[in-house]
Amino acid sequence: MGDVRLVVHGHFYQPPRENPWTEEIATEPSAAPYHDWNERITAECYRPNGWARVIDERGRVTDIVDNYAHLSFNVGPTLLSWLETHAPDVYARILEADREGHGGVAQAYNHMILPLANERDVRTQVRWGLADFEHRFGRRAAGMWLPETAVNDAVLRILVDEGVRFTILAPSQADGPVTTGPYRWVHPEDHDRSIAIVFYDGPISHDLAFGLTGLSSQELVQRVIDAAADDSAVVVATDGETFGHHHTFAERALSYAFAHEAPAAGVRVMSASAFVEECAPIDDVVIRESSWSCVHGVGRWHEDCGCSTGGQPDWNQAWRAPLRRALDHLRDFAVGVFEERGGRVLRDPWMARDAYIDVVLGRQTIDDFLAAHAGSERDDVVALSLLEAQRHALLMYTSCGWFFNDLAGIETVQVLRYAARCIDLLEEIGESPPVDEFLEILAQAVSNDPREGSGRDIWDRHVVPTRVDAERVVGHLALMRVLERKEPAAPVGPFDVLSHEGSLVERGPIVGGGGRVTLQHRRTRRRTEHVYAVVHLGGLEVFGATRAPDPGRDDALFDKVAEAVESGASVPTVLRLLAEGVGPREFGLESALPDAAEELVASAARQLSERFGATYEHLYADHRSRLSALARAGYPLPPELRTPAELALARRFETEIARAVDDAGAGSFHAARDVVREARQLGLQLATPEAAQLMSRTVRAAVERALEGASDDRVNAALGLLRLTQELDLAIDVERAQELVFAALTSGREDDGIRRLGDALGIAIPQ
């Protein structure tokens, strides 16, 4: 059989989803029950691949494998940034895997289709991608993944110029038949310079990604053996999301292939970087302008070529061309401004743009960056605003905006939001971007859904309402003050609150407030001052207004509003004072930051729920003996009695479980068990989603305490909680608890208590 080598490359990527103004992801309903798609795919794919289970015939865990340590992989910079903040354990696992095997390669920064970009943008995308990789992984990347593997000779020239040693392409992208390689693409103007091209195996990669169930570990390894050639390797490349998101539990098949099937068959698993190191390219290759996901080259990202994902049979993608024309029109205007004004406030605008990634990553402070790049006409706000406009002009070309089936898709709306942010930044420095022309071109793009209309309709409906300027942040601060009686955690959206002075007056259900706010944008350092007045009329009815300060009349205005509220003036009188004195920028609940309005409504609902729940608990306590008597008599409780009784007992149960989180003793769960027993006697159910989440956290905390010091009391507490979940038939998440115990067992700890925990958690105890 010879030396059979296997490279499995996973392209892990999600488009940037953050609101361009707040840089936070708003709720994405299509990702339910998760907050957004990043969170959902992390739960289904990114985390499971870091701790992939090998399961025996009894469903017990026999091994936990870090797939990243065996994969060749790239993780998109915008996804890594999100993981660093929201899933730090997954982020750390990926970095650790690369330290062990150097399996990582870089990716062009925000997944722009490089053959359709101008040369400056291609260079910035490559340089930002390399800088991001070096910042996170602590080493220079040898290879780079091209978004959608979209390539032409111009892109390859730039990769050679930037020191990239190899990239991975589909076999169909070569001008002629190829095997895995590696091959050599030679720079046309300098034959002494080249880049290695690794071609993946098309049939195996296709079946792994698009087969109904993917490939089993046995099928994958056997296919590799059958396809192997001497002195080469079989390279398989697919979206990393194949393993767990597209195919449920596919990460387990991969882990078994890496840890068991491949070694048993004598197949060496390695990274693409290691393969290129072992096998120097011999044959030259010519590359066509092409990609891995469009048979028409790169048509999918600028024309109605027929390639799309999802949608109805009669849908078209004629909207792609006007969308790109509109963005190109805005980009070209922004380039002119950047060169003209940037040439005055920056020593070299384009060099500064390439270096700005260090500020975005936090590798360099704004002050140090400006010290190195500020021009002869020092204006920090203009310089930073121009650079931010360029950053968003790059982000608006993220490939996903064209990839799917309709103009109104969340990915396409996202690139339009980046365009809006670019426009706002230019307007803030006194420029007049061609908004009318941009929208006229965009109006030529039409959604397949008649309800969505044209691109201009989508702009008005889905883009404009998500904008967050300084006045909206002031409105948000005022809403939090009168509805929640608190200051929001700083910073607020993209702004630092430098000062906020204000007061509240209350009379009956009406609450009035006013204040002065100084804000500074964290990225552009633009500083603005505002005054506001707001009145809460009860419920969720709020009316407010804000404007720039006017010291000559501000104090008198606030005094008038406070006097009107305290004296019990009519609502129209109070509203008139606000509109006349503080307008013209008015705000209500809809002005809260994205997601915050929903949270304010949810907070009001929680307060009502708490009051209802407390009432039900009192009712249950008052009538407990009678309910027990009905149960003993065999009388089935009607819904109007069952529902409040279940709610009352569920609240008690959740309270007792929450207490157990901080209780190390075995008695921590006894009160909860008493509640369970009482519910069973009445024929009631306690298995609520809230109880499952609480039990998951409580079990993990109990296991962590047991591992800190495996006393009988702590071990028994954890075991008791696990038995309680079985009694309730409550499905809880025990993965992290399993991982902790498995790590302890495989590290050589021979404690009997830990072995009992492992057995209870479904771990086949390693001998």
Side-chain angles (χ1 to χ4, degrees):
M1 182 176 71
D3 183 16
V4 177
R5 288 170 283 195
L6 168 63
V7 175
V8 180
H9 185 87
H11 165 51
F12 294 91
Y13 163 73
Q14 290 300 308
R17 303 180 185 280
E18 290 79 5
N19 176 296
W21 293 269
T22 67
E23 301 190 33
E24 294 290 338
I25 301 178
T27 301
E28 295 178 324
S30 58
Y34 296 92
H35 177 271
D36 55 71
W37 279 102
N38 281 8
E39 186 178 284
R40 176 170 172 174
I41 298 174
T42 297
E44 295 174 350
C45 172
Y46 305 136
R47 193 177 196 288
N49 273 286
W51 292 267
R53 269 61 171 170
V54 176
I55 306 296
D56 66 15
E57 64 280 359
R58 297 171 55 199
R60 297 171 70 79
V61 177
T62 64
D63 200 359
I64 295 179
V65 178
D66 180 2
N67 282 346
Y68 297 112
H70 302 274
L71 281 166
S72 174
F73 64 85
N74 68 282
V75 185
T78 53
L79 173 58
L80 279 172
S81 176
W82 184 90
L83 289 171
E84 182 180 17
T85 301
H86 296 90
D89 58 336
V90 178
Y91 179 75
R93 192 79 160 176
I94 292 170
L95 300 191
E96 180 185 5
D98 181 75
R99 282 194 295 271
E100 294 178 359
H102 284 195
V105 302
Q107 177 198 290
Y109 188 73
N110 64 265
H111 221 262
M112 179 187 292
I113 299 301
L114 299 185
L116 295 176
N118 60 46
E119 181 178 343
R120 279 202 186 98
D121 286 356
V122 175
R123 288 194 183 276
T124 299
Q125 287 284 300
V126 171
R127 289 171 179 172
W128 281 19
L130 291 172
D132 186 274
F133 185 93
E134 186 171 358
H135 167 65
R136 299 182 188 282
F137 291 92
R139 65 180 181 88
R140 176 80 176 177
M144 172 165 279
W145 180 267
L146 298 174
E148 301 293 339
T149 73
V151 69
N152 60 12
D153 285 348
V155 171
L156 290 173
R157 282 192 187 97
I158 290 173
L159 292 186
V160 173
D161 291 345
E162 299 302 324
V164 177
R165 295 179 54 202
F166 74 90
T167 191
I168 302 171
L169 300 178
S172 59
Q173 296 181 263
D175 189 10
V178 292
T179 60
T180 298
Y183 288 78
R184 179 177 55 227
W185 181 88
V186 179
H187 196 292
E189 285 82 41
D190 185 351
H191 291 187
D192 291 331
R193 296 195 296 154
S194 63
I195 184 173
I197 308 291
V198 176
F199 293 100
Y200 63 78
D201 184 290
I204 299 177
S205 299
H206 177 276
D207 292 348
L208 188 65
F210 300 110
L212 291 178
T213 58
L215 294 175
S216 70
S217 56
Q218 295 88 346
E219 289 171 329
L220 173 61
V221 172
Q222 189 57 54
R223 291 278 297 273
V224 167
I225 292 171
D226 294 342
D230 292 339
D231 298 324
S232 186
V234 175
V235 179
V236 180
T238 182
D239 286 338
E241 291 76 15
T242 295
F243 309 114
H245 174 57
H246 297 157
H247 296 307
T248 303
F249 294 141
E251 81 282 354
R252 296 184 178 182
L254 200 61
S255 69
Y256 195 77
F258 288 151
H260 299 279
E261 288 288 340
V267 174
R268 282 202 293 142
V269 177
M270 62 173 53
S271 68
S273 298
F275 172 45
V276 172
E277 284 287 337
E278 284 193 11
C279 302
I282 299 176
D283 297 324
D284 293 349
V285 68
V286 175
I287 298 298
R288 299 181 294 106
E289 181 169 278
S290 55
S291 66
W292 76 341
S293 54
C294 178
V295 297
H296 312 94
V298 292
R300 186 169 191 157
W301 298 278
H302 69 97
E303 63 185 4
D304 187 9
C305 68
C307 295
S308 67
T309 298
Q312 303 301 318
D314 60 338
W315 283 17
N316 67 72
Q317 284 72 51
W319 51 268
R320 287 174 175 160
L323 171 64
R324 185 167 286 274
R325 287 200 306 273
L327 296 182
D328 287 349
H329 189 62
L330 176 59
R331 176 202 61 195
D332 293 344
F333 176 85
V335 165
V337 172
F338 188 62
E339 291 187 326
E340 194 275 322
R341 294 190 65 179
R344 301 200 300 267
V345 298
L346 295 164
R347 293 177 189 172
D348 182 327
W350 298 110
M351 182 182 295
R353 186 179 80 163
D354 287 340
Y356 186 59
I357 187 62
D358 288 339
V359 175
V360 175
L361 294 173
R363 289 206 298 184
Q364 188 176 36
T365 67
I366 289 177
D367 289 331
D368 288 345
F369 174 84
L370 291 171
H373 294 281
S376 57
E377 297 181 16
R378 184 73 183 255
D379 190 325
D380 294 353
V381 170
V382 170
L384 293 169
S385 298
L386 287 169
L387 289 163
E388 276 295 292
Q390 283 297 302
R391 182 168 75 93
H392 286 86
L394 292 169
L395 287 166
M396 72 187 185
Y397 285 102
T398 301
S399 69
C400 302
W402 290 264
F403 186 86
F404 295 98
N405 57 74
D406 193 62
L407 179 67
I410 59 174
E411 296 84 4
T412 310
V413 169
Q414 182 71 9
V415 302
L416 290 174
R417 288 172 177 163
Y418 288 126
R421 180 60 182 144
C422 179
I423 288 170
D424 287 355
L425 286 158
L426 293 171
E427 289 179 340
E428 286 175 5
I429 58 173
E431 296 293 332
S432 299
V435 177
D436 291 340
E437 297 97 317
F438 171 83
L439 292 176
E440 285 174 8
I441 300 170
L442 191 60
Q444 299 169 26
V446 180
S447 168
N448 291 286
D449 184 347
R451 296 169 298 180
E452 293 289 357
S454 72
R456 184 162 193 159
D457 297 324
I458 290 167
W459 178 271
D460 291 338
R461 186 180 303 114
H462 299 299
V463 176
V464 172
T466 63
R467 279 174 153 157
V468 178
D469 57 10
E471 286 78 9
R472 184 168 176 180
V473 169
V474 172
H476 177 82
L477 287 166
L479 290 167
M480 295 294 290
R481 174 161 278 183
V482 297
L483 289 174
E484 297 284 298
R485 304 292 197 276
K486 66 181 182 182
E487 301 278 350
V492 182
F495 291 92
D496 288 322
V497 181
L498 301 185
S499 66
H500 183 193
E501 300 173 355
S503 59
L504 290 176
V505 291
E506 301 185 44
R507 183 178 179 87
I510 297 180
V511 181
R516 297 177 178 83
V517 182
T518 303
L519 301 175
Q520 180 170 283
H521 197 280
R522 293 197 308 281
R523 291 201 182 273
T524 67
R525 290 190 169 177
R526 177 173 297 280
R527 183 176 296 195
T528 55
E529 296 183 349
H530 313 262
V531 296
Y532 70 85
V534 61
V535 60
H536 177 206
L537 304 174
L540 293 172
E541 293 295 322
V542 184
F543 177 82
T546 182
R547 60 166 168 76
D550 183 351
R553 63 185 179 124
D554 289 347
D555 290 338
L557 165 70
F558 295 140
D559 290 342
K560 287 180 181 179
V561 173
E563 182 180 324
V565 172
E566 290 176 333
S567 65
S570 67
V571 169
T573 299
V574 176
L575 296 183
R576 179 178 54 78
L577 285 171
L578 290 178
E580 293 177 355
V582 195
R585 180 69 177 262
E586 298 176 354
F587 61 83
L589 186 63
E590 73 285 349
S591 296
L593 298 187
D595 269 6
E598 292 83 353
E599 178 55 33
L600 287 169
V601 172
S603 176
R606 284 194 297 271
Q607 293 174 24
L608 278 178
S609 177
E610 184 64 29
R611 293 177 65 181
F612 271 68
T615 300
Y616 285 147
E617 285 197 62
H618 286 304
L619 282 171
Y620 179 80
D622 290 343
H623 301 284
R624 181 178 179 182
S625 59
R626 185 170 298 182
L627 289 169
S628 297
L630 289 172
R632 287 194 300 272
Y635 182 79
L637 296 180
E640 55 268 27
L641 293 179
R642 170 181 290 275
T643 300
E646 283 184 337
L647 177 60
L649 284 174
R651 282 168 55 87
R652 280 179 51 196
F653 177 74
E654 291 162 15
T655 299
E656 296 302 337
I657 290 300
R659 288 175 181 166
V661 173
D662 300 317
D663 189 344
S668 60
F669 59 89
H670 287 333
R673 176 166 284 160
D674 290 341
V675 178
V676 172
R677 186 179 300 110
E678 186 173 337
R680 284 190 169 168
Q681 289 171 352
L682 295 172
L684 304 178
Q685 296 292 323
L686 296 182
T688 65
E690 293 78 10
Q693 293 175 6
L694 276 169
M695 284 294 285
S696 298
R697 294 197 296 270
T698 305
V699 166
R700 180 181 177 184
V703 167
E704 288 174 343
R705 286 195 298 266
L707 293 176
E708 289 170 1
S711 66
D712 287 343
D713 194 42
R714 291 185 172 190
V715 169
N716 289 335
L719 293 172
L721 286 166
L722 286 167
R723 284 193 294 270
L724 188 57
T725 64
Q726 295 169 355
E727 290 178 26
L728 282 170
D729 195 22
L730 196 63
I732 69 167
D733 177 8
V734 297
E735 286 194 350
R736 287 163 178 76
Q738 278 184 336
E739 291 153 11
L740 292 168
V741 174
F742 186 87
L745 290 167
T746 53
S747 67
R749 292 180 65 176
E750 294 295 332
D751 189 282
D752 180 65
I754 296 175
R755 298 178 74 85
R756 288 192 292 139
L757 278 175
D759 186 61
L761 287 165
I763 298 172
I765 307 300
Q767 299 301 317

